[in-house]
Amino acid sequence: DAWIEVRSPHFVIVSNASPAQAREIAERFERVRAVFEKAFPTMRVYPNLPIIVLAAKNEASFLALEPASWERQGEIGHAGMMLRNADKIYILLRIDVSGDNPYRVLYHEYTHLILEDNFRLIPVWLNEGLAEFYGNSELDKKTVRLGLPNEKNLKLLRTRPLLPLATLFTVTQSSPYYNEQQKGTIFYAESWALTDYLMFMGSDPGTRRGPIDHYLQFTAEGIDPVTAGTNAFGNLDQLQRSLQSFVRRLQFHYYRLKVPPLRDEDAFQARTLAPAESLAVRGDFLARVGRGAEAQGMLLKALAENPGLASANESLGLVALEEHQPEAAETWFAKAARLSSQCYLARYHEALTWIKAGPNTAETNQIVSNLDDFMAVNPSFAPAPAALAFYYAHRGEHLNQAQQLAAKAVQLEPQNTNYRLLESGILLKMGDPQAALEVARQAIDRAQTAAEKSRAYVLLGAIQEMMHARSSR
């Protein structure tokens, strides 16, 4: 099939459907973004990273791109997914889905994108429940109806026993209820129903915040999902009974909003991708979803068509990393970085290679440039500031900046013990053992493995020795 590209102000659509269908998808995504911007003025409705939408026109082209993990027998059939990477975001859609709302999967996946960009620790049930709530919306050029009832979910919930809420709240992405066909369907349906029920409950008169807002606050504070549910929603047994009554209703509420008009809608022009470009985009996606052999075949074919295609070299570096071939990965990344300064992921990996090897003077400046540029593109990717902090600390220079970078990495990934150890070690180099001691103790408290605890205790001992030596003078 010929693949085309349509660019709108915020999205890149790559599809083997018709130009009219691809433009329609771009317009839909722009309208959904505008709706979220109006409905949630305090939320980020578009991430810093580019969003590439792979819109497959039928089942065959969708199956050729789906992740390897979906091929396991018994897993839930999918019509779309969102994949967040360090350098870009992919949304995969199948656009020939039947039903009353063929764009439901589009709205569903974009909701996931917004939620994960705003709430780092959102529980799985609420992530899926909100995506289902907004996914079942109806949108035209003037209005949107948010939170319409999902008839398929209602039919299932009226014929199957509900999961206990304590079970629902603790489902993770590795749980059978999230993945297996017979268990997963009830999980998704009940997540939608509970979210829909809570969305229309009264808000707190004092704060004007609803129960879901309170729940998100509790989970962000590290409270376990079941306790957070009790704190936010009250007695869970009572809530279970209320939910059972709710799914048997005959009428449901929904929100109606006016859709802001799109600007320059006619400018969403389609262009046919060259064969090498099409192969490179699809090969890059396959490299990121565990289909390395197929990705490699596509990418090498792309380079045979166009040897100077930087993106294909970058993607082959990812394949090599997955296959545990670091030297080959370094070669591919270095070539991609030379071919294009826009290959930020390749430049990030190139900087890591130089840091590990011990850079020369020319490479020193390039390390800082590569990592600074990567952080500008993706300020929420914790490994980048951590790498630059390590580099400065190892050289014993710019320690104040190194400490700030390490602290930023901790803020972005508070569960990562290594970033706390890095910050503590930098504080020790800066001559502030008291602050280093406090961060080291935090690392011990959050350590998940025996190895992490061991490293934290070794650093703690070094700090205490310095403090003792100072006090003995």
Side-chain angles (χ1 to χ4, degrees):
D1 291 335
W3 287 75
I4 60 174
E5 176 190 273
V6 172
R7 288 183 177 266
S8 68
H10 301 95
F11 303 92
V12 178
I13 313 300
V14 176
S15 179
N16 61 341
S18 70
Q21 287 174 299
R23 276 194 293 268
E24 171 70 9
I25 292 168
E27 293 167 9
R28 291 269 176 175
F29 268 108
E30 291 291 349
R31 287 198 178 93
V32 169
R33 178 187 176 278
V35 167
F36 272 92
E37 195 169 43
K38 184 174 181 179
F40 304 105
T42 62
M43 288 174 58
R44 295 187 301 275
V45 298
Y46 185 78
N48 293 318
L49 300 177
I51 300 177
I52 301 169
V53 180
L54 286 172
K57 70 176 184 180
N58 54 28
E59 182 182 24
S61 48
F62 181 84
L63 293 177
L65 292 169
E66 70 174 13
S69 61
W70 288 5
E71 296 175 358
R72 291 197 297 267
Q73 186 176 4
E75 290 212 349
I76 296 172
H78 298 265
M81 66 169 290
M82 188 268 292
L83 180 68
R84 180 184 289 272
N85 303 280
D87 58 331
K88 66 187 72 168
I89 294 166
Y90 276 113
I91 294 177
L92 173 65
L93 295 176
R94 178 182 166 188
I95 64 175
D96 68 335
V97 177
S98 60
D100 296 334
N101 186 356
Y103 291 99
R104 188 188 70 81
V105 66
L106 183 157
Y107 308 145
H108 181 107
E109 294 306 325
Y110 191 70
T111 303
H112 277 315
L113 177 61
I114 300 305
L115 292 172
E116 293 179 16
D117 202 45
N118 285 270
F119 305 103
R120 290 185 171 276
L121 299 176
I122 185 169
V124 170
W125 77 268
L126 185 54
N127 196 349
E128 293 299 337
L130 286 168
E132 283 288 288
F133 179 87
Y134 291 106
N136 211 49
S137 300
E138 290 185 356
L139 180 68
D140 58 36
K141 292 193 175 184
K142 293 184 178 180
T143 61
V144 59
R145 294 191 294 169
L146 300 173
L148 291 167
N150 186 310
E151 295 298 331
K152 182 179 178 181
N153 284 339
L154 284 173
K155 183 177 180 180
L156 178 69
L157 292 166
R158 288 167 178 170
T159 57
R160 294 267 301 275
L162 301 184
L163 297 175
L165 292 181
T167 300
L168 185 79
F169 290 166
T170 54
V171 168
T172 66
Q173 290 185 343
S174 61
S175 300
Y177 284 109
Y178 184 77
N179 293 290
E180 293 177 9
Q181 181 72 42
Q182 295 304 313
K183 294 181 179 180
T185 47
I186 191 67
F187 165 74
Y188 285 93
E190 188 172 340
S191 295
W192 161 77
L194 181 58
T195 302
D196 194 276
Y197 174 74
L198 295 170
M199 286 290 284
F200 293 101
M201 287 181 65
S203 60
D204 185 334
T207 62
R208 295 186 179 180
R209 299 174 66 194
I212 290 177
D213 295 317
H214 291 299
Y215 182 76
L216 285 169
Q217 178 185 346
F218 291 135
T219 56
E221 293 171 355
I223 298 174
D224 71 88
V226 176
T227 304
T230 301
N231 292 346
F233 311 140
N235 184 279
L236 296 188
D237 291 334
Q238 178 60 48
L239 180 60
Q240 186 98 36
R241 290 191 290 270
S242 298
L243 183 61
Q244 289 169 336
S245 300
F246 173 77
V247 299
R248 288 173 173 79
R249 281 185 181 181
L250 298 178
Q251 292 182 326
F252 293 85
H253 298 289
Y254 65 88
Y255 295 109
R256 185 191 294 273
L257 290 175
K258 289 185 178 180
V259 179
L262 292 183
R263 296 180 180 178
D264 301 324
E265 186 175 327
D266 294 335
F268 299 175
Q269 296 300 313
R271 75 176 183 94
T272 301
L273 293 174
E277 292 177 292
S278 163
L279 289 164
V281 173
R282 288 177 287 151
D284 183 64
F285 181 78
L286 292 174
R288 298 166 190 260
V289 293
R291 297 175 66 168
E294 294 159 282
Q296 187 175 46
M298 277 191 178
L299 294 166
L300 290 173
K301 188 174 180 181
L303 287 179
E305 294 268 354
N306 182 355
L309 197 58
S311 61
N313 286 279
E314 183 179 58
S315 304
L316 282 165
L318 293 175
V319 174
L321 280 183
E322 285 297 313
E323 294 178 349
H324 307 290
Q325 298 174 358
E327 292 182 0
E330 290 171 11
T331 301
W332 289 118
F333 287 138
K335 187 174 181 181
R338 287 196 304 271
L339 287 168
S340 173
S341 62
Q342 302 302 305
C343 287
Y344 295 104
L345 189 63
R347 292 175 59 197
Y348 166 74
H349 283 287
E350 184 181 50
L352 295 187
T353 299
W354 285 334
I355 290 173
K356 182 171 63 175
N360 58 38
T361 303
E363 291 169 346
T364 293
N365 295 331
Q366 196 61 49
I367 285 172
V368 177
S369 175
N370 283 10
L371 294 175
D372 278 343
D373 287 351
F374 191 90
M375 287 187 286
V377 172
N378 186 358
S380 63
F381 184 64
L388 191 52
F390 173 84
Y391 174 67
Y392 283 147
H394 183 69
R395 293 172 64 89
E397 60 186 25
H398 306 303
L399 292 180
N400 285 330
Q401 187 178 353
Q403 186 272 324
Q404 293 170 7
L405 288 163
K408 181 179 180 181
V410 170
Q411 181 185 14
L412 292 169
E413 287 188 25
Q415 73 279 9
N416 191 315
T417 304
N418 291 324
Y419 297 157
R420 293 182 188 272
L421 295 176
L422 174 62
E423 184 185 8
S424 179
I426 294 170
L427 287 166
L428 191 62
K429 281 194 172 188
M430 293 171 65
D432 191 349
Q434 189 61 50
L437 185 70
E438 181 179 345
V439 176
R441 284 172 173 164
Q442 293 171 6
I444 291 171
D445 292 339
R446 290 177 177 264
Q448 300 294 316
T449 67
E452 288 178 352
K453 278 193 179 293
S454 176
R455 289 197 298 272
Y457 275 117
V458 168
L459 180 58
L460 186 70
I463 296 168
Q464 289 172 334
E465 283 183 16
M466 175 181 279
M467 295 178 73
H468 179 72
R470 282 189 174 186
S471 64
S472 302
R473 290 175 184 170

